[in-house]
Amino acid sequence: MIKPKMPSPIHRRVITTSISIILVFTVALGLVLNQLYNKSYFALYSSDLLSAVPQIVGELKRDNLLEIDASRIHVAPENRAEMDSVESDYMAFICQPDKSLFWMSGHAKGLGLSDICQVLPYDLVDPELIMYNTHPYVVHEIAEGSGLIEDKFFVVREVAPQLERLSAIKRKTWFYLGMLFIATTALLYAASYWSFSPLRKLAGELNEIAESRLEKLNTDYPSELEDVTDALNRMIELRKEQTQRYRHAMDDLAHSLKSRLAATNALLDDSALSREMMSKRIVEQVSQMDDMVQYQLKRALVGQRGLVREKSEIKPSVDSLTGMLSKVYRDKPVNVTQDLRELESLPLNKNDLTELLGNLLENAFRFCIGEVRVRTRDTVESYILLIEDDGPGIPEPIRDSVFQRGVRADQLNPGTGIGLAVCHEIVESYEGVISVTTSELEGAAFVIQFPKQR
């Protein structure tokens, strides 16, 4: 049963980290923009203050406050008349060091701001926003206000409408930044979903492979995943090969044990054998079956090419196998001749040689009329092993296919079609070649050639 899909931890981490970065960036951008709005507003205030300076200076002259250093006020003469006619909402105050009022402009008198010096900042450097009687004011220090250097000259302006407009601008800014954050998050999620889609596809294909609905991963993956998919495909292929080896090993083991079990049954039915001799022969068969089991399990584990190669004598294996097969086919007298003068051993593992000879001799005993011949040849290029019989032979059209698993040359007689396939696999693992031709005995002749190592 497949568990319900959960969000990928990697996907969550990427999304969470990215959204956090975008959120921090958005908030920082909003704060910077608001700071820029404030600076822009105060810059506009400082620029606009010039239009009120002539009027304030005029009021100071009218009130005979000539202590004010008017040389600090830089106004172009050609613009002075125009500025004098401008009605300004700026108010001017001269405050003494004890925060008492020394002088204030006419507009300030009309508003009754006589005690404003109590809240004005005396250490002012840049324009500053203050609250007075629940109203916001911007304060700017112009110069010392009287002959006493300690007096301060302030220009004040109520900025409630401006602050309202500034707040509206800030609200719009945060609104648009919020919309930008939402849109960016949505695009980020869509991009991450699209970016991680190959991993979801990979997980789906692996599930299909686990359920045997797919043999291997597809190749249409991004280049960043090619190494991963190639490695997984190699692993899947190795797993299939190992599974196939296990299956073949079990089939081969069953096929190999069949002859030994048949020989054991024949020994139990042979009344001519003494009890001691029968026990000895049965122990030999059991020992051979144990060796065969160990050999097949090892071959299933490491593969045919992983087995140790060595020189193995041919005659002991032929004698043992023909003795066993004679018991199995005791109703058919078979004459076995050996010609091993040119080559007495082959560069094969002993178990491989036994398995190879066992399958070929078992076929020869089954199909022969009465004669089987084993010969070897030593040529310049290769070692040759021939096993012949005087049976009906194998028709030429199927001589290549008989080495495939499940294919039998004789469909009338019982068999598994495994023996010759095992022989082909063993010979191929030693880089040899096995073929079947017509024997001089007019039956089948199996020719095995092993190349000499150079």
Side-chain angles (χ1 to χ4, degrees):
M1 180 179 179
I2 299 177
K3 296 181 180 179
K5 292 184 178 179
M6 301 295 292
S8 167
I10 296 179
H11 187 236
R12 285 203 305 268
R13 287 198 294 268
V14 171
I15 288 294
T16 303
T17 304
S18 302
I19 290 178
S20 300
I21 293 173
I22 293 174
L23 180 60
V24 171
F25 175 77
T26 303
V27 172
L29 179 61
L31 295 175
V32 169
L33 288 176
N34 287 332
Q35 189 67 22
L36 290 175
Y37 288 148
N38 290 335
K39 289 184 177 181
S40 176
Y41 172 77
F42 282 116
L44 181 63
Y45 162 80
S46 298
S47 176
D48 194 32
L49 181 61
L50 292 176
S51 63
V53 168
Q55 182 179 351
I56 296 172
V57 171
E59 290 193 42
L60 289 170
K61 289 182 178 180
R62 185 191 60 203
D63 292 338
N64 298 318
L65 295 175
L66 300 178
E67 293 85 351
I68 299 299
D69 188 1
S71 64
R72 297 191 181 186
I73 309 302
H74 300 285
V75 182
E78 61 272 18
N79 296 331
R80 186 176 300 276
E82 181 181 351
M83 290 182 174
D84 288 340
S85 63
V86 176
E87 184 176 353
S88 173
D89 58 353
Y90 284 91
M91 297 167 286
F93 299 89
I94 297 177
C95 298
Q96 295 180 317
D98 59 356
K99 294 191 175 183
S100 61
L101 179 66
F102 179 77
W103 175 87
M104 63 179 173
S105 63
H107 184 54
K109 290 177 183 178
L111 296 176
L113 304 180
S114 59
D115 59 344
I116 194 171
C117 287
Q118 302 295 322
V119 298
L120 292 178
Y122 275 62
D123 54 350
L124 192 63
V125 177
D126 296 319
E128 186 173 322
L129 181 68
I130 65 168
M131 295 298 295
Y132 176 70
N133 291 339
T134 68
H135 293 283
Y137 294 90
V138 171
V139 182
H140 190 79
E141 181 181 347
I142 298 298
E144 291 79 4
S146 69
L148 299 175
I149 196 170
E150 292 86 359
D151 292 348
K152 298 288 184 179
F153 180 22
F154 296 102
V155 177
V156 179
R157 182 186 187 187
E158 184 179 359
V159 290
Q162 291 84 349
L163 289 182
E164 182 61 31
R165 289 195 296 271
L166 185 61
S167 297
I169 293 174
K170 290 181 178 180
R171 285 194 297 270
K172 286 184 179 180
T173 300
W174 284 115
F175 173 76
Y176 290 128
L177 286 176
M179 296 299 295
L180 177 64
F181 172 74
I182 293 173
T184 305
T185 302
L187 290 174
L188 173 67
Y189 193 89
S192 66
Y193 185 87
W194 176 74
S195 299
F196 280 90
S197 59
L199 294 179
R200 289 192 297 274
K201 177 184 175 183
L202 177 61
E205 290 189 357
L206 288 174
N207 282 331
E208 291 184 14
I209 290 172
E211 295 171 0
S212 300
R213 293 187 285 115
L214 192 66
E215 291 188 357
K216 66 177 183 178
L217 298 172
N218 292 321
T219 56
D220 55 340
Y221 280 93
S223 57
E224 293 81 0
L225 291 179
E226 283 182 357
D227 291 341
V228 176
T229 54
D230 290 344
L232 287 173
N233 276 332
R234 286 196 300 272
M235 185 177 67
I236 292 167
E237 192 64 30
L238 289 175
R239 176 193 170 197
K240 287 171 60 178
E241 290 177 0
Q242 188 169 20
T243 302
Q244 190 73 2
R245 282 204 308 270
Y246 275 113
R247 185 180 295 113
H248 288 174
M250 295 304 102
D251 292 341
D252 298 346
L253 180 59
H255 182 268
S256 301
L257 293 178
K258 181 181 67 174
S259 299
R260 273 73 178 179
L261 291 172
T264 302
N265 288 330
L267 289 172
L268 292 174
D269 293 339
D270 191 351
S271 57
L273 292 176
S274 65
R275 186 177 184 84
E276 182 180 355
M277 183 60 67
M278 181 183 298
S279 298
K280 181 180 179 181
R281 295 286 181 83
I282 290 176
V283 169
E284 289 177 356
Q285 294 299 320
V286 171
S287 178
Q288 291 179 7
M289 285 190 281
D290 181 66
D291 291 341
M292 189 57 59
V293 169
Q294 297 298 326
Y295 162 74
Q296 293 292 358
L297 291 178
K298 184 177 180 182
R299 194 177 72 165
L301 181 64
V302 302
Q304 186 69 42
R305 297 181 187 274
L307 299 176
V308 178
R309 301 186 182 189
E310 57 190 21
K311 285 276 188 177
S312 300
E313 293 187 2
I314 302 171
K315 184 172 176 55
S317 295
V318 173
D319 291 342
S320 175
L321 290 167
T322 53
M324 179 194 69
L325 292 169
S326 296
K327 297 296 182 183
V328 176
Y329 294 95
R330 60 182 181 274
D331 296 334
K332 180 197 293 187
V334 178
N335 178 36
V336 179
T337 59
Q338 301 182 42
D339 182 5
L340 309 175
R341 291 172 296 175
E342 292 189 22
L343 184 65
E344 296 182 352
S345 61
L346 287 171
L348 274 72
N349 178 275
K350 181 181 178 181
N351 289 322
D352 287 338
L353 179 60
T354 301
E355 183 72 10
L356 178 63
L357 290 172
N359 285 309
L360 294 175
L361 289 173
E362 199 275 336
N363 271 358
F365 268 76
R366 183 191 302 175
F367 295 109
C368 74
I369 296 173
E371 187 173 356
V372 173
R373 186 163 63 188
V374 180
R375 294 187 294 161
T376 58
R377 294 287 182 268
D378 186 0
T379 68
V380 176
E381 298 292 334
S382 59
Y383 305 110
I384 301 176
L385 172 66
L386 297 95
I387 298 179
E388 307 168 81
D389 64 70
D390 61 349
I394 298 177
E396 188 171 351
I398 64 169
R399 285 179 180 177
D400 291 333
S401 61
V402 292
F403 296 107
Q404 300 175 10
R405 285 182 176 265
V407 177
R408 292 186 290 119
D410 187 359
Q411 301 294 330
L412 299 178
N413 292 317
T416 60
I418 292 177
L420 293 180
V422 172
C423 293
H424 180 266
E425 291 172 4
I426 293 174
V427 172
E428 190 178 51
S429 70
Y430 288 93
E431 300 178 355
V433 178
I434 182 171
S435 59
V436 58
T437 62
T438 301
S439 168
E440 294 177 359
L441 303 177
E442 299 184 356
F446 287 91
V447 183
I448 303 102
Q449 301 180 62
F450 296 102
K452 290 184 177 181
Q453 300 295 328
R454 296 195 178 273

